[in-house]
């Protein structure tokens, strides 16, 4: 058993001592079988949330209406969720209220895919009623029970299927694949934030292109706003070196460039403001780069790291080779760089010029930096002072 599970065994033991059932479930069991690193160790139990809270010293209510209590053991947080079913689905979404049950099997039945519907007890024994292990070995994503029904209950599962494709490098089993195409339209009922969150995980996975291809051919992509232009040219889009993208923002810049409706896309995808800001900067950088190579002043302003990001977006979307070495050379040759401390301050400029503060400070600073980059002014306090005084006399 992996050390993360071993550390959590006392939590299971505690629950069992009081006569409850308790198991490790979900992604951590799947990932450990795959020999992958595991992150969150989730626990399912027959104990009610109230009973769980009484058994542990430190707990936080994180989703009591879904039966989830966060339990701390030796400083580590564990989500402990009461066995439940989700019988009454409404509007193709998971219900607000759940029904607690006493059987592990019932709980595993409501889970999305066979690989996610396994449980492991404190001795490392696997409970695998839907043959998730076999599917993992054959690298197959298959719903627990009828895919039509399971996707109709909760349409988000369809996006989860393609995100797991990308993350795990698995294929979607054929009847599950067919149901994706038939039920994709139900995604119109799902909150965009949740669809965007799954999409982000898809893009960060190891096979994003394969997953996007399936998302396009099953029409899942249709339920991401403003991608009409991209969908029309999906062949060209998928022929780009998309895997070069290293961050969500880089990916979304390339997608936005291909979507041709950037502004409304940012809004409708419900992206956080900070993310939108970064994407806009990347696209602006891309557009400038498409006209000409970076100037020294531009490189000074954006810094080496962001220049590489822009270059990557430019190279991926334009299909031309990235010129990182040329950027690095130019940067290395610059007399001052973004990181270089300036030898003077705005206050110095006021003192030396005898003028009052105002917008001219910013402009003059910019002018001095530009001249430093051109090699006309040296980044030394006395040099700047003399230059300013002489300039003012003229
Ligand atoms: P990750 O490694 O990304 O966290 P995960 O499998 O743990 O993957 P979570 O979203 O954390 O995914 O969900 C935990 C478990 O809850 C899943 O393994 C699955 O059993 C169940 N689950 C999550 N979302 C759904 C859903 N929409 N429908 C049914 N079961 C779900
Ligand atoms: Mg998880």
């Amino acid at each position: 058993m992996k050390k993360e599970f071993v550390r959590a065994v006392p939590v299971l033991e505690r629950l069992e001592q009081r006569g409850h059932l308790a198991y490790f479930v979900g992604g951590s069991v799947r990932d450990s079988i795959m020999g992958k690193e595991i992150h969150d160790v989730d626990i399912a139990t027959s104990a009610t949330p109230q009973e769980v809270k009484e058994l542990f010293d430190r707990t936080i209510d994180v989703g009591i209406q879904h039966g989830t209590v966060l339990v701390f053991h030796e400083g580590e947080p564990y989500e402990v969720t009461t066995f439940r079913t989700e019988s009454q689905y409404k509007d193709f979404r998971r219900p607000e209220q759940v029904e607690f049950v006493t059987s592990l099997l019932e709980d595993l039945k409501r889970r999305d895919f066979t690989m996610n519907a396994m449980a492991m007890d404190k001795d490392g024994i696997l409970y695998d009623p839907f043959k998730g292990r076999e599917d993992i070995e054959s690298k197959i994503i298959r719903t627990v029970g009828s895919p039509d029904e399971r996707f109709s209950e909760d349409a988000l599962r369809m996006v989860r299927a393609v995100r797991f494709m990308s993350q795990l490098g698995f294929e979607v089993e054929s009847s599950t694949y067919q149901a994706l195409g038939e039920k994709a339209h139900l995604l119109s009922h799902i909150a965009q934030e949740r669809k965007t969150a799954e999409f982000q995980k898809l893009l960060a996975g190891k096979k994003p292109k394969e997953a996007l291809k399936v998302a396009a051919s099953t029409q899942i992509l249709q339920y991401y706003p403003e991608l009409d232009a991209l969908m029309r040219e999906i062949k060209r889009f998928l022929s780009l070196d998309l895997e070069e993208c290293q961050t969500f923002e880089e990916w979304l810049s390339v997608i936005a460039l291909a979507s041709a409706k950037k502004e409304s896309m940012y809004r409708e995808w419900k992206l956080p403001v900070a993310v939108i800001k970064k994407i806009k900067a990347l696209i602006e950088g891309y557009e400038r780069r498409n006209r000409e190579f970076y100037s020294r002043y531009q490189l000074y302003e954006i810094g080496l790291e962001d220049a590489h990001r822009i270059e990557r977006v430019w190279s991926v979307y334009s299909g031309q080779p990235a010129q990182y070495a040329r950027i690095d050379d130019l940067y290395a040759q610059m007399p001052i760089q973004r990181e270089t401390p300036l030898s003077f301050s705005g206050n110095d400029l006021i003192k030396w010029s005898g003028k009052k503060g105002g917008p001219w400070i910013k402009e003059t600073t910019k002018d001095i930096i530009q001249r430093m980059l051109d090699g006309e002014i040296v980044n030394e306090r006395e040099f700047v002072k003399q230059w300013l005084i002489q300039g003012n006399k003229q």
Side-chain angles (χ1 to χ4, degrees):
M1 206 164 23
K2 289 210 167 219
K3 63 177 188 307
E4 291 86 349
F5 289 127
V6 175
R7 282 189 76 175
V9 162
V11 179
L12 299 191
E13 282 174 342
R14 180 110 210 212
L15 286 156
E16 288 184 355
Q17 277 156 15
R18 298 299 171 100
H20 304 295
L21 301 171
Y23 301 88
F24 299 124
V25 286
S28 60
V29 178
R30 176 197 68 225
D31 291 345
S32 76
I33 285 180
M34 292 183 66
K36 283 185 21 164
E37 248 179 67
I38 56 180
H39 5 261
D40 329 307
V41 170
D42 295 335
I43 293 168
T45 180
S46 59
T48 63
Q50 200 50 44
E51 287 168 329
V52 172
K53 280 165 69 171
E54 282 162 15
L55 272 179
F56 296 92
D57 295 340
R58 230 184 114 205
T59 65
I60 300 178
D61 289 359
V62 283
I64 215 105
Q65 74 279 27
H66 295 113
T68 304
V69 175
L70 200 64
V71 167
F72 287 86
H73 173 71
E74 289 180 346
E76 250 346 279
Y78 300 100
E79 277 193 9
V80 179
T81 305
T82 304
F83 294 158
R84 64 188 201 208
T85 58
E86 293 168 350
S87 38
Q88 331 86 326
Y89 290 87
K90 240 180 48 207
D91 299 336
F92 317 105
R93 279 177 295 208
R94 298 170 86 181
E96 297 295 312
Q97 288 298 324
V98 297
E99 196 181 314
F100 298 137
V101 292
T102 49
S103 117
L104 172 68
L105 182 65
E106 282 302 308
D107 183 83
L108 295 180
K109 254 191 211 164
R110 58 106 186 155
R111 293 175 184 269
D112 49 5
F113 304 111
T114 57
M115 62 185 181
N116 290 342
M118 300 182 290
M120 191 173 76
D121 72 10
K122 64 172 194 307
D123 303 315
I125 296 187
L126 192 71
Y127 292 79
D128 180 15
F130 308 106
K131 299 201 166 72
R133 189 185 194 131
E134 250 174 52
D135 284 341
I136 288 176
E137 274 156 19
S138 332
K139 298 183 184 286
I140 280 179
I141 299 168
R142 184 199 308 268
T143 53
V144 173
S146 148
D148 277 356
E149 278 174 29
R150 304 315 306 284
F151 293 155
S152 301
E153 286 168 359
D154 177 2
L156 190 72
R157 290 172 186 153
M158 292 184 271
V159 189
R160 286 174 60 84
V162 284
R163 94 79 160 163
F164 282 121
M165 267 193 85
S166 172
Q167 282 185 324
L168 308 176
F170 284 14
E171 300 284 335
V172 177
E173 174 276 328
S174 70
S175 72
T176 303
Y177 188 103
Q178 198 177 339
L180 288 177
E182 284 160 18
K183 301 291 175 186
H185 63 277
L186 297 178
L187 280 168
S188 62
H189 299 276
I190 302 293
Q192 187 58 45
E193 288 86 342
R194 302 181 68 207
K195 288 188 270 190
T196 299
E198 291 291 337
F199 204 78
Q200 182 166 3
K201 292 184 182 173
L202 182 160
L203 297 178
K206 58 179 185 188
K207 300 266 183 192
K209 223 183 227 188
E210 283 77 355
L212 285 171
K213 201 168 173 182
V214 171
S217 64
T218 55
Q219 305 295 308
I220 287 175
L221 267 196
Q222 204 85 56
Y223 298 89
Y224 284 82
E226 308 293 19
L227 294 189
D228 307 357
L230 181 148
M231 295 277 283
R232 271 197 307 276
E233 300 228 23
I234 189 76
K235 269 225 172 91
R236 164 172 142 78
F237 181 72
L238 291 175
S239 74
L240 301 173
D241 280 335
L242 298 168
E243 282 98 343
E244 290 293 312
C245 294
Q246 289 185 3
T247 60
F248 183 50
E249 288 82 8
E250 287 172 21
W251 262 105
L252 271 240
S253 314
V254 175
I255 291 174
L257 283 163
S259 91
K261 280 194 188 167
K262 306 191 235 347
E263 297 292 328
S264 53
M265 180 187 150
Y266 309 144
R267 212 175 39 245
E268 303 224 3
W269 279 49
K270 307 274 192 248
L271 298 170
V273 177
V275 172
I276 296 181
K277 225 176 120 185
K278 284 189 193 163
I279 299 173
K280 281 187 170 166
L282 284 172
I283 290 184
E284 247 177 60
Y286 162 87
E287 277 161 357
R288 210 181 308 139
R289 170 66 172 103
N290 222 16
R291 291 191 299 272
E292 63 198 3
F293 197 71
Y294 311 87
S295 68
R296 286 181 169 197
Y297 191 75
Q298 262 165 31
L299 281 189
Y300 177 87
E301 277 207 304
I302 56 183
L304 197 55
E305 241 179 279
D306 279 351
H308 276 231
R309 293 196 180 102
I310 291 170
E311 185 69 4
R312 200 148 44 232
V313 167
W314 173 78
S315 161
V316 169
Y317 192 65
S318 71
Q320 301 186 63
Q323 300 190 35
Y324 301 121
R326 188 172 162 205
I327 296 173
D328 293 350
D329 285 349
L330 184 56
Y331 202 73
Q333 285 163 16
M334 282 161 32
I336 53 164
Q337 298 163 338
R338 188 181 166 80
E339 310 53 48
T340 315
L342 290 175
S343 59
F344 65 96
S345 67
N347 277 337
D348 291 333
L349 296 184
I350 294 175
K351 204 165 63 195
W352 295 335
S353 67
K355 287 200 273 188
K356 269 208 217 143
W360 68 270
I361 295 179
K362 219 176 148 186
E363 283 156 32
T364 306
T365 304
K366 189 176 162 178
D367 184 30
I368 296 172
I369 290 171
Q370 207 129 31
R371 287 168 195 268
M372 283 177 176
L373 289 166
D374 291 341
E376 195 185 315
I377 294 181
V378 181
N379 186 21
E380 279 168 15
R381 206 177 149 73
E382 198 51 34
F383 196 110
V384 177
K385 183 180 176 183
Q386 290 310 321
W387 176 83
L388 194 80
I389 291 169
Q390 277 160 23
N392 281 340
K393 273 184 199 147
Q394 285 162 9

